[in-house]
Amino acid sequence: MTDTAVETTRPIGVYTRPKGGGGWRDWVTTVDHKKIGILYGATALVFFVVGGCEALLIRLQLATPNGTILGADTYNQVFTMHGVTMIFLAAMPLAAAFGNYLIPLQIGARDVAFPRLNALSFWVFLAGAIFLNLSWVLGGAPDGGWFGYAPNSGIIYSPSVGMDFYAIGLQITGIASLVSAINLTVTILNMRAPGMTLFKMPVFTWMMLVVQLLLVFAMPVIAVALFLLIFSRQFGANFFNTEMGADPLLWQHLFWIFGHPEVYILILPSFGIISEVIPTFSRKPIFGYEFMVFSGIAIGFMGWGVWAHHMFASGIGPLSVAAFSLSTMFIAVPTGVKILNWLATMWGGKIKFTAAMLFAVGVISMFTIGGLSGVTHAMSPADTQQTDTYYVVAHFHYVIFGGIIFGLFSGFYFWWPKVFGHMLSEKLGKINFWVMLVGFNMTFGPMHTLGLQGMSRRIDTYSPGFGFELWNMVASIGSFIIATSVLIFVINVIVSAVKAKGQPHCGPDPWDARSLEWMTPNPTPEHNFDEVPVVESLDEFWHRKYGTDEEGRIVRVATAEEVCQDGSATGVHLPSPSYWPLVFSAGLPLVGLGLIFSLWLTIPGGIMMVGSLFAWVFEPVDDPDGPHGHHDDSEETATEEAPVV
Amino acid sequence: MSEAATTEHPTNTGISHNKLAMWVFLGSECLLFGALISTYLLYRNEFHTGPAPGDIFDIPFTSVSSFVLLMSSLTMVLALSALKRGDIRNNRLWLLTTALLGALFIGGQVYEFTSFVREGLGFTTSPFSSAFFTLTGFHGIHVSLGIVMLMSLLISSLRGNLKEKNSETVEIVGLYWHFVDVVWIFIFTVIYLVPNPTS
Amino acid sequence: MNTSETAVTTEAAHDDHDHPSDAKYIQIALLLGIITAAEVATYFVDIGVALIPVLMIMMVVKFFYVASWFMHLRFDSPLFTKFFVAGLILATTVYLVFLTVFEFWSKG
């Protein structure tokens, strides 16, 4: 099949593909979904720490009345960047890390559908993240809150370049999300192992599919909103100019049409993670798999019909308020289904409280608290009272921290051996969990009270005598306990890595797990599967290890070592690395800086982007001399050298 | 757009990655243009002291350029159909015609914009003007990108790299092109033909 | 913009369907041209309250013909239709609600 127009003649000059060469070169040119997953995870953890430090600054400032640690202006920047960083630079890319690493493994594939686009997504995300944080040293960080309401985000009320960085930076990370979403959607639909029907996919992969579809449809909406903001600030457009009859609520609507699906984009990966962890450590299949899947899909659908509940206090009219109140109450139903299913999965199981399991149980309990306070917002009279108070801050931190961060930590402890070939210390892990749980509740629990007492969010300080002192102090102490727990995690990572050095890798199946990714050795070899498995059932891996005897009792029929592949296959064809995703991504922030400071800068940025796109298109599918290049393997026959354009 | 990783098996859906990705992308684009069109509709009456849409739109002119874009969809399918028959010559001819019709449409848009500016409708004149230029500008950028893709196909064909078996590439570019066309079908009716306010 | 290698396998599957002939495409383009002419005619001829419904129907017909014939949706995998229709329905519903919340319809 190689008799094509573009022969495998030696390409010239830059059109050869990088050969790796070990060390950092492997990482910057990689198109391997596992390496990209690790890059996503490492980068996102760095930004998680950055966002956490911003949170600590906020809590230091608010610990006592009349705080003087941050000025009002700096405070605005810090809380805005805390929100932006945690949502767009920590939580979303952490989900992308798990998705990238695990989806191909869980569906029995060797990589994603578009490996170079996958690398592009990561580098574009990193470019956007660095771009956003450059604002600190280039004239001030964004200061309009993470949802940047107009006209407060306009040039009059926010004259520094901060909101320009916000609008352009989020636009850049948005490109990364959209590209990655299309890529993973195609991967899941097109690249499942033989026999793996949609309803034999692990719940995590299912939830990630729903998330990718939400991203596909939600990212363009925020893109438009951000374009309107950029045009208003840079070119004097009148989208939010009330003097000319424009309606600033336009921003709020567009933002929340994106923003509410975004809430589910954030939480569903975590739901997926604990849906893998809980069955494994309860030693039972997930209860009501179909309900789990359909409730995830239902959440995805209904997430589009509730956006205006963020705007009850903005005067959208009684009819709209009533309609959105109703839809908001309904969306609690599929979420409730999930919680009941997790509980039913644990019910009667032989539960093993590993660190991963503890964090998963943490999600169920803490998210339920956040969900219940969320339902109180659905009642618009109560919401009118609570809007813009610390009650709302408490609510969404119970959902985001209690739901998402706990879930992601559960995933870390669960899949760490998969990725790195050694376990994290369970003992430190359990300490990590309990410290985090205590710190989390101390920080955000009191905020319910503060909010109901009337403390508004986003104020940079408060006077003594309102009764805010005690709970603010408790919350601030709690925030440092959370910081301690994150530190324990970092120590765990380091200590475990040092201990594992020189030791053999842990076995392929440390948890007696259920899904396909554990059929490869730990850490996963570059080519994933020696042989693509043929799937017969949900929890395929588990069913290969266990059968039933004559009396219907479950008995072990094979050891993990017998079932798992040994990773010894050679000559498996893999896509070659490429420079161009990185070069293209580096051009984007230059264009962004050019828009803000001097249009001249857009020229090198534009050249880099256009040039690398052409190089991308014209570079050969494989470097003929490359390490993966020749199709010397017998199973490899159908590779056609791709025609250009 | 990129290589597939596991090339040894057919895909689960029987559809190629590239084509599926394009359709997913087009689904996404619906939301993008939806937001731009809704923003425009919201502001079509907010012309402040500037010209109103009803004062300034030149329906006969826009009708001609709409017709041009519509016909470019025909030439696009003819290009694909020629390539599927292995008729390289006609494929090139129709690709070129499509690109030229697209360019003609863009030329018309440039003319329309400049004459609007001459008549006092700048980008910053009113919420209406900002929304109008943003919506039609976004559409114009999409058409321009389509022209770039068509020209790349043409160059590739002239270098002898566009053969019958590559017809899916042409089909995918065609999908994009037709999508941009249907967006204009929508814009032409809703923005131009539905009676517009006058000042 | 390479075609993916997998195209090889799928082309075979899809070429079984007869794609319409060029003559058919030209017929459809003619029809689309006539509808466009009729649309433009409404600008010059007053048809009263029927105007907006008539315009909408003609728009939908044109949209449908381009999507189903030129974009091959009627011959191609239903999955494509699903994605496209999902985007269309979602966009239409969300933005209709959006405009309704702004009381767009009563403002005219």
Side-chain angles (χ1 to χ4, degrees):
Chain A
M1 289 263 196
T2 47
D3 56 334
T4 64
V6 182
E7 295 298 347
T8 52
T9 47
R10 281 304 311 275
I12 42 160
V14 294
Y15 294 135
T16 53
R17 295 190 74 142
K19 297 182 182 66
W24 61 273
R25 277 193 206 84
D26 272 354
W27 288 92
V28 296
T29 59
T30 188
V31 295
D32 177 3
H33 72 98
K34 297 178 291 297
K35 282 193 170 143
I36 292 170
I38 294 170
L39 285 171
Y40 258 119
T43 313
L45 276 177
V46 168
F47 283 107
F48 179 64
V49 171
V50 171
C53 292
E54 284 154 359
L56 292 180
L57 284 175
I58 294 173
R59 284 321 314 168
L60 277 176
Q61 165 75 7
L62 294 178
T64 53
N66 297 324
T68 51
I69 289 163
L70 304 172
D73 184 34
T74 320
Y75 184 83
N76 288 344
Q77 298 176 28
V78 170
F79 80 69
T80 301
M81 280 305 281
H82 165 69
V84 170
T85 304
M86 286 305 198
I87 288 171
F88 294 102
L89 312 185
M92 282 174 80
L94 276 174
F98 282 103
N100 259 298
Y101 199 99
L102 294 170
I103 287 174
L105 287 169
Q106 286 202 328
I107 62 174
R110 291 239 165 86
D111 208 317
V112 292
F114 304 100
R116 285 186 296 175
L117 282 182
N118 202 24
L120 179 92
S121 303
F122 169 72
W123 294 112
V124 169
F125 151 68
L126 181 63
I130 292 173
F131 180 82
L132 270 166
N133 279 284
L134 273 181
S135 61
W136 288 110
V137 292
L138 290 178
D143 55 2
W146 85 277
F147 44 52
Y149 277 0
N152 193 35
S153 57
I155 202 92
I156 299 173
Y157 299 101
S158 183
S160 80
V161 292
M163 291 313 283
D164 298 308
F165 274 96
Y166 166 90
I168 298 169
L170 290 189
Q171 199 71 279
I172 295 175
T173 58
I175 295 171
S177 299
L178 182 64
V179 171
S180 160
I182 293 176
N183 196 349
L184 290 178
T185 304
V186 175
T187 305
I188 296 174
L189 292 179
N190 257 357
M191 296 176 69
R192 283 163 282 131
M196 179 170 277
T197 57
L198 286 175
F199 279 87
K200 284 177 187 153
M201 295 197 309
V203 179
F204 174 75
T205 298
W206 251 115
M207 291 305 106
M208 288 307 282
L209 178 60
V210 176
V211 168
Q212 305 318 313
L213 293 177
L214 285 173
L215 281 168
V216 162
F217 294 124
M219 293 320 290
V221 186
I222 183 83
V224 168
L226 292 170
F227 275 125
L228 302 188
L229 180 60
I230 294 170
F231 293 167
S232 298
R233 290 183 60 96
Q234 297 287 334
F235 310 127
N238 296 305
F239 294 108
F240 311 118
N241 183 350
T242 47
E243 283 168 31
M244 284 198 183
D247 191 339
L249 280 188
L250 170 63
W251 169 272
Q252 287 195 30
H253 276 287
L254 289 179
F255 188 89
W256 289 117
I257 289 174
F258 150 79
H260 206 83
E262 168 74 8
V263 171
Y264 298 107
I265 289 167
L266 291 167
I267 192 70
L268 287 177
S270 167
F271 283 1
I273 289 170
I274 69 166
S275 300
E276 303 294 312
V277 171
I278 290 174
T280 302
F281 295 115
S282 304
R283 318 219 24 79
K284 277 175 67 189
I286 187 104
F287 180 86
Y289 169 81
E290 289 84 0
F291 281 97
M292 223 44 188
V293 170
F294 280 117
S295 61
I297 298 173
I299 290 172
F301 263 111
M302 293 166 79
W304 287 91
V306 296
W307 79 85
H309 70 213
H310 297 268
M311 304 166 58
F312 282 159
S314 65
I316 52 173
L319 193 65
S320 307
V321 168
F324 280 98
S325 276
L326 263 180
S327 63
T328 306
M329 290 180 205
F330 274 120
I331 204 166
V333 175
T335 320
V337 168
K338 280 194 172 315
I339 289 174
L340 289 176
N341 278 359
W342 289 320
L343 292 177
T345 306
M346 289 164 66
W347 182 268
K350 292 199 201 84
I351 299 177
K352 265 174 78 182
F353 282 107
T354 58
M357 185 65 173
L358 286 173
F359 275 107
V361 175
V363 171
I364 302 178
S365 45
M366 294 303 109
F367 182 83
T368 304
I369 297 175
L372 288 175
S373 64
V375 176
T376 67
H377 293 140
M379 285 147 232
S380 63
D383 182 79
T384 315
Q385 179 71 22
Q386 294 149 2
T387 290
D388 275 339
T389 70
Y390 262 84
Y391 187 86
V392 176
V393 180
H395 156 68
F396 69 70
H397 279 94
Y398 266 85
V399 177
I400 291 182
F401 200 116
I404 299 163
I405 302 297
F406 275 67
L408 294 171
F409 271 82
S410 173
F412 287 141
Y413 280 98
F414 187 58
W415 280 299
W416 204 268
K418 177 80 258 164
V419 178
F420 297 104
H422 64 82
M423 319 274 285
L424 287 174
S425 154
E426 276 293 304
K427 199 172 143 208
L428 279 174
K430 285 173 189 167
I431 298 173
N432 179 358
F433 168 74
W434 289 110
V435 175
M436 189 179 270
L437 186 75
V438 169
F440 165 73
N441 281 293
M442 265 180 78
T443 309
F444 301 109
M447 289 185 187
H448 292 107
T449 315
L450 282 171
L452 293 177
Q453 283 178 335
M455 179 167 165
S456 33
R457 66 192 280 205
R458 301 197 201 89
I459 52 165
D460 63 304
T461 187
Y462 53 92
S463 305
F466 289 108
F468 298 161
E469 289 94 333
L470 170 67
W471 292 123
N472 269 306
M473 182 51 87
V474 173
S476 293
I477 295 170
S479 68
F480 280 86
I481 298 178
I482 296 178
T484 312
S485 76
V486 175
L487 191 66
I488 295 172
F489 175 72
V490 175
I491 292 171
N492 195 350
V493 168
I494 296 169
V495 168
S496 308
V498 171
K499 255 194 203 158
K501 206 153 222 174
Q503 301 290 319
H505 291 309
C506 66
D509 187 23
W511 307 119
D512 197 4
R514 316 181 69 86
S515 43
L516 275 191
E517 75 269 27
W518 298 100
M519 268 184 67
T520 60
N522 294 330
T524 322
E526 197 177 3
H527 59 272
N528 294 0
F529 296 92
D530 295 341
E531 202 179 314
V532 173
V534 176
V535 176
E536 276 162 14
S537 46
L538 176 68
D539 292 334
E540 173 72 18
F541 180 48
W542 191 87
H543 282 284
R544 290 188 185 201
K545 290 184 292 181
Y546 294 89
T548 45
D549 63 12
E550 304 86 51
E551 283 145 52
R553 278 183 309 234
I554 291 168
V555 289
R556 186 118 193 174
V557 294
T559 65
E561 283 72 16
E562 286 164 352
V563 173
C564 291
Q565 305 180 349
D566 58 11
S568 60
T570 53
V572 177
H573 171 75
L574 291 170
S576 295
S578 173
Y579 305 106
W580 305 115
L582 177 62
V583 178
F584 177 87
S585 312
L588 273 169
L590 283 181
V591 172
L593 289 172
L595 279 174
I596 298 174
F597 295 110
S598 153
L599 283 176
W600 291 108
L601 268 175
T602 56
I603 295 174
I607 290 173
M608 279 167 83
M609 286 163 62
V610 174
S612 48
L613 275 185
F614 271 90
W616 178 304
V617 167
F618 287 109
E619 79 179 339
V621 168
D622 295 299
D623 190 326
D625 295 337
H628 314 295
H630 281 297
H631 312 142
D632 46 8
D633 193 80
S634 54
E635 72 172 285
E636 188 54 49
T637 49
T639 307
E640 184 191 21
E641 295 304 324
V644 289
V645 169
Chain B
M1 278 186 190
S2 189
E3 65 271 41
T6 47
T7 50
E8 58 266 38
H9 359 262
T11 61
N12 300 97
T13 53
I15 304 162
S16 82
H17 295 336
N18 287 344
K19 202 164 160 190
L20 182 56
M22 178 51 89
W23 272 110
V24 176
F25 173 68
L26 294 183
S28 171
E29 289 271 276
C30 293
L31 275 287
L32 182 103
F33 278 104
L36 291 166
I37 292 168
S38 316
T39 301
Y40 172 82
L41 289 176
L42 189 65
Y43 287 155
R44 66 202 277 269
N45 288 313
E46 307 298 342
F47 39 85
H48 197 52
T49 53
D55 305 335
I56 202 156
F57 287 165
D58 182 351
I59 302 296
F61 179 82
T62 311
S63 306
V64 172
S65 59
S66 303
F67 185 75
V68 166
L69 195 62
L70 196 61
M71 286 307 113
S72 77
S73 262
L74 172 65
T75 57
M76 187 72 231
V77 280
L78 292 180
L80 175 62
S81 143
L83 189 61
K84 280 192 168 162
R85 288 194 308 267
D87 182 350
I88 305 286
R89 209 180 68 87
N90 272 318
N91 170 250
R92 287 180 192 161
L93 180 71
W94 290 124
L95 282 178
L96 182 67
T97 317
T98 311
L100 286 177
L101 288 173
L104 195 60
F105 175 83
I106 292 294
Q109 196 169 40
V110 170
Y111 171 79
E112 185 194 32
F113 280 15
T114 45
S115 64
F116 282 4
V117 170
R118 241 194 337 266
E119 290 168 52
L121 190 82
F123 185 58
T124 58
T125 307
S126 59
F128 153 67
S129 79
S130 299
F132 171 79
F133 284 115
T134 303
L135 168 60
T136 49
F138 260 90
H139 181 266
I141 286 172
H142 276 77
V143 177
S144 308
L145 279 177
I147 296 174
V148 172
M149 290 192 232
L150 287 169
M151 294 312 289
S152 308
L153 284 179
L154 198 60
I155 292 168
S156 167
S157 174
L158 290 173
R159 294 176 60 207
N161 293 338
L162 200 63
K163 297 279 170 59
E164 200 177 337
K165 64 183 167 43
N166 313 126
S167 64
E168 202 195 55
T169 310
V170 178
E171 188 180 352
I172 290 170
V173 173
L175 287 175
Y176 174 85
W177 190 262
H178 299 305
F179 176 77
V180 175
D181 186 26
V182 291
V183 170
W184 188 259
I185 288 175
F186 197 93
I187 291 178
F188 180 56
T189 304
V190 173
I191 277 76
Y192 287 90
L193 290 178
V194 167
N196 275 301
T198 49
S199 57
Chain C
M1 199 146 305
N2 309 329
T3 42
S4 140
E5 291 83 343
T6 46
V8 183
T9 47
T10 54
E11 276 307 306
H14 286 301
D15 275 357
D16 302 342
H17 307 287
D18 277 331
H19 273 294
S21 62
D22 287 3
K24 183 76 191 172
Y25 285 136
I26 293 168
Q27 276 175 17
I28 289 165
L30 270 176
L31 178 72
L32 291 171
I34 293 168
I35 299 176
T36 308
E39 285 179 329
V40 178
T42 63
Y43 180 68
F44 300 100
V45 186
D46 186 9
I47 57 168
V49 290
L51 176 62
I52 290 182
V54 167
L55 277 178
M56 290 299 141
I57 290 167
M58 289 195 287
M59 179 185 83
V60 170
V61 171
K62 280 168 76 182
F63 196 106
F64 174 80
Y65 267 97
V66 175
S68 63
W69 288 88
F70 289 176
M71 296 170 97
H72 300 136
L73 280 180
R74 51 183 298 152
F75 314 105
D76 231 331
S77 161
L79 191 63
F80 297 147
T81 313
K82 278 180 197 154
F83 270 107
F84 194 45
V85 169
L88 280 176
I89 291 181
L90 190 64
T92 314
T93 324
V94 164
Y95 295 121
L96 282 180
V97 173
F98 165 94
L99 289 170
T100 308
V101 175
F102 274 110
E103 298 173 353
F104 171 77
W105 312 109
S106 50
K107 279 193 292 188

